[in-house]
Amino acid sequence: MTVRVNGRVVTPNGVIRQGCVEWDGDRITAVAEYPSVRDGHWILPGFVDMHTHGGGGHTFTTGDADQARAAAGFHLAHGTTTLLASLVSAPFPLMRAATEAYAPLVDEGVLAGIHFEGPYLSAARCGAQNPEYLRDPSTDELAELIELGGGAIRMVTLAPERDGALEAIKLLTAHRVVAAVGHTDATYDQTRAAIAAGASVGTHLFNGMRPVHHREPGPVIALLDAPNVVCELVADGVHLHDGTLTFATATAGPDRAALITDAMAAAGMADGEYELGGQAVTVADGVARLARDGAIAGSTLTMDAALRHAVDAGIPIADAARMVATTPARAIGLGDRVGALQVGLRADLVVLDEDLNVVRVLRGGSWVE
């Protein structure tokens, strides 16, 4: 049975001010003008969060399937119809256990995949990563996880200056796992070598990276300059100044800039004491920081809030919609399934009011309760 929703439809080609989206079952069957519509709500593709550690008081970082299901449900209510479960640096047994626990959720469609942010990261740029778990990349570990996951591993973030990093990147990409550059003290040339080896994502650009210098551009410039790299951006006004957000977006373009939440368990929760990767986190005024040194420890962001922040910063809504859906979907290899209001893709959409607050969420052709 064909179902329709009308409003201001944001498509990959721009905004249809008087438009409709139709679906039958779990697939979009039409996106078209609908002249009888008079403005109405905004209709955007379902959001795709390629980097989130939890939310609603629940975490992905412990490898607990019930926690993961609850965290995914929290973000779904905020319009995120596709997400990766991001872990932080951890001992290999926990990485194995999380892969075993989350692979069934990937098969079920609760998760779109697993993202290991670490442990192959720079100690100098570890941020809120637990330094005791950091180590050089291991192709043996990665090969075991890839086989164990049976397609569930979708992305791995590593620092390209660590011994064995380029071999790890080549292994990942050979198995269609996205290799991301992050938490790195790499030089410009080291970063370019990682990109040449197959790295295609910059993990939360600027954050956890050697800063830009006019005589040593570092990873930020190398990633922004690479036409095949998608750069993650945390649009919460804490991780990045709005001027940095709009500069990076203008430089990369909305087809290479992806908004992420980098959310941890405290997203949607009250200020207080939390935990991330075995480290104490204090949330005050909605900002999460490590108790030991005040380092930013993820965010309390949701994707609808990231969208609103980006638009308030001056990014056009059509561009922002690409950045919260189309671009991240393509970056993690799902652009042929989700991420746009386009005939044949899964019927995922978010209905937003004039202030871009979530009114309703559709996932796979069914309205979310």
Side-chain angles (χ1 to χ4, degrees):
M1 181 181 71
T2 299
V3 188
R4 173 191 299 139
V5 64
N6 305 324
R8 289 173 282 184
V9 180
V10 182
T11 77
N13 299 317
V15 179
I16 305 174
R17 307 296 300 192
Q18 296 172 287
C20 72
V21 180
E22 295 181 353
W23 64 93
D24 190 348
D26 67 349
R27 297 288 139 185
I28 297 173
T29 55
V31 180
E33 292 188 8
Y34 201 69
S36 63
V37 174
R38 292 292 179 267
D39 288 325
H41 292 315
W42 290 100
I43 304 171
L44 271 64
F47 306 146
V48 179
D49 193 353
M50 58 192 284
H51 187 156
T52 177
H53 300 287
H58 310 285
T59 184
F60 293 126
T61 61
T62 58
D64 184 290
D66 290 337
Q67 287 270 320
R69 190 182 295 275
F74 166 79
H75 284 289
L76 179 60
H78 287 271
T80 299
T81 52
T82 300
L83 58 72
L84 299 186
S86 299
L87 286 95
V88 292
S89 296
F92 186 62
L94 176 55
M95 298 171 75
R96 275 188 55 92
T99 301
E100 290 180 314
Y102 293 167
L105 297 184
V106 176
D107 291 339
E108 187 182 334
V110 174
L111 305 174
I114 300 166
H115 166 214
F116 286 112
E117 186 183 13
Y120 316 122
L121 307 175
S122 163
R125 304 291 176 188
C126 66
Q129 299 281 336
N130 195 326
E132 70 179 272
Y133 299 138
L134 303 183
R135 55 191 185 273
D136 289 334
S138 165
T139 52
D140 288 342
E141 288 184 355
L142 289 170
E144 186 173 341
L145 292 171
I146 290 167
E147 182 176 1
L148 183 64
I153 309 299
R154 184 65 61 172
M155 183 163 68
V156 175
T157 297
L158 45 72
E161 72 273 21
R162 295 209 70 137
D163 290 343
L166 297 186
E167 291 77 8
I169 291 169
K170 291 173 184 176
L171 173 74
L172 292 168
T173 55
H175 288 86
R176 298 187 178 182
V177 178
V178 176
V181 172
H183 287 281
T184 176
D185 200 40
T187 65
Y188 176 81
D189 288 338
Q190 288 171 324
T191 307
R192 283 175 60 86
I195 295 166
S200 59
V201 165
T203 293
H204 46 52
L205 195 74
F206 294 98
N207 301 116
M209 290 185 179
R210 174 193 291 241
V212 175
H213 188 278
H214 55 285
R215 285 190 292 273
E216 172 40 63
V220 172
I221 300 299
L223 294 164
L224 276 176
D225 194 45
N228 60 322
V229 170
V230 170
C231 298
E232 296 179 350
L233 301 168
V234 186
D236 62 353
V238 177
H239 282 75
L240 300 174
H241 186 283
D242 285 354
T244 306
L245 171 68
T246 55
F247 166 79
T249 301
T251 302
D255 288 332
R256 291 205 305 112
L259 298 186
I260 61 164
T261 63
D262 195 19
M264 47 87 73
M269 304 295 288
D271 287 353
E273 304 303 314
Y274 295 87
E275 181 269 346
L276 181 67
Q279 300 183 102
V281 174
T282 299
V283 178
D285 298 324
V287 178
R289 296 185 181 276
L290 286 185
R292 62 176 167 81
D293 63 5
I296 296 174
S299 84
T300 60
L301 195 60
T302 54
M303 285 296 271
D304 56 326
L307 173 79
R308 288 190 294 271
H309 191 101
V311 172
D312 287 345
I315 297 172
I317 189 168
D319 289 348
R322 296 185 76 85
M323 295 165 67
V324 295
T326 314
T327 300
R330 179 175 50 79
I332 58 175
L334 298 177
D336 59 343
R337 303 182 213 173
V338 298
L341 298 179
Q342 189 171 308
V343 173
L345 298 193
R346 196 173 74 191
D348 295 351
L349 59 82
V350 186
V351 180
L352 303 168
D353 64 18
E354 189 68 31
D355 297 319
L356 304 182
N357 295 305
V358 174
V359 177
R360 298 184 81 184
V361 179
L362 185 85
R363 187 179 190 275
S366 297
W367 292 109
V368 175
E369 294 297 329

